[in-house]
Amino acid sequence: MSGPIVLVLRILLTLGLYAFLGWTLWIIWQDIKQTGLRVVARKIPAIRLEVRTRNRAPALRSFSQAEVTLGRDPSCDLQLEDETVSVRHARLSYHHGQWWVEDLDSTNGTSLNKEKLSTAAVLMTGDEIKCGKVRVNVSLNGNTDIQNV
């Protein structure tokens, strides 16, 4: 009589073990899902750019994406229509909690506050980026009252 009882206990123990493992995996999956939602919900602070070119009124643009390319190419996020600007001139990128600017090996170079860029540099509100003869003023206050892209 003890043989059938031991068999039933083994089956119950096996079912309990599988139930525990299933519950544990479900909890881990829920945690991973919540973490993914938090990462997706993380906001990139907006960057406002005021573009000043010769013979044109200043144009304001606001971006809330992690990377903004500047250049003459129509595929650039901020198209600068000036012959002194390279096709893909500069890149603004948000990482490590800050906005950065870097030159993309442009012909006429990129300047930040009248100093030529040789490596990526951190941007602050009030900075002036110069691509060829085009000046771009930076505002990082996150105000998105202007045209969003």
Side-chain angles (χ1 to χ4, degrees):
M1 187 70 89
S2 66
I5 294 174
V6 171
L7 179 62
V8 169
L9 288 176
R10 283 184 176 176
I11 291 173
L12 289 175
L13 183 61
T14 303
L15 290 176
L17 181 62
Y18 280 116
F20 176 74
L21 288 174
W23 177 73
T24 305
L25 290 174
W26 185 79
I27 293 292
I28 291 171
W29 179 73
Q30 290 294 322
D31 186 48
I32 289 171
K33 193 165 93 172
Q34 289 295 332
T35 302
L37 290 174
R38 281 193 303 268
V39 168
V40 168
R42 191 176 303 159
K43 300 267 184 187
I44 296 170
I47 183 169
R48 284 186 359 174
L49 304 174
E50 180 183 14
V51 180
R52 296 177 178 218
T53 58
R54 298 176 292 176
N55 306 323
R56 290 193 179 178
L60 290 172
R61 298 285 301 271
S62 180
F63 297 92
S64 58
Q65 59 203 44
E67 187 173 288
V68 179
T69 54
L70 288 70
R72 282 193 336 242
D73 190 356
S75 68
C76 287
D77 300 305
L78 183 59
Q79 189 175 1
L80 305 173
E81 297 178 20
D82 190 277
E83 65 276 356
T84 61
V85 176
S86 295
V87 175
R88 289 183 45 84
H89 198 98
R91 175 180 24 238
L92 308 178
S93 56
Y94 184 79
H95 54 88
H96 298 99
Q98 296 177 315
W99 278 100
W100 295 73
V101 60
E102 64 180 313
D103 183 63
L104 297 177
D105 296 325
S106 60
T107 304
N108 293 323
T110 304
S111 299
L112 177 62
N113 299 324
K114 299 181 181 177
E115 291 187 28
K116 189 167 181 157
L117 284 177
S118 56
T119 62
V122 175
L123 287 173
M124 297 185 340
T125 296
D127 282 347
E128 181 183 78
I129 302 167
K130 189 174 175 191
C131 300
K133 293 183 180 177
V134 177
R135 298 181 194 292
V136 179
N137 292 326
V138 177
S139 177
L140 301 177
N141 62 4
N143 186 355
T144 56
D145 295 341
I146 57 179
Q147 178 183 357
N148 284 318
V149 176

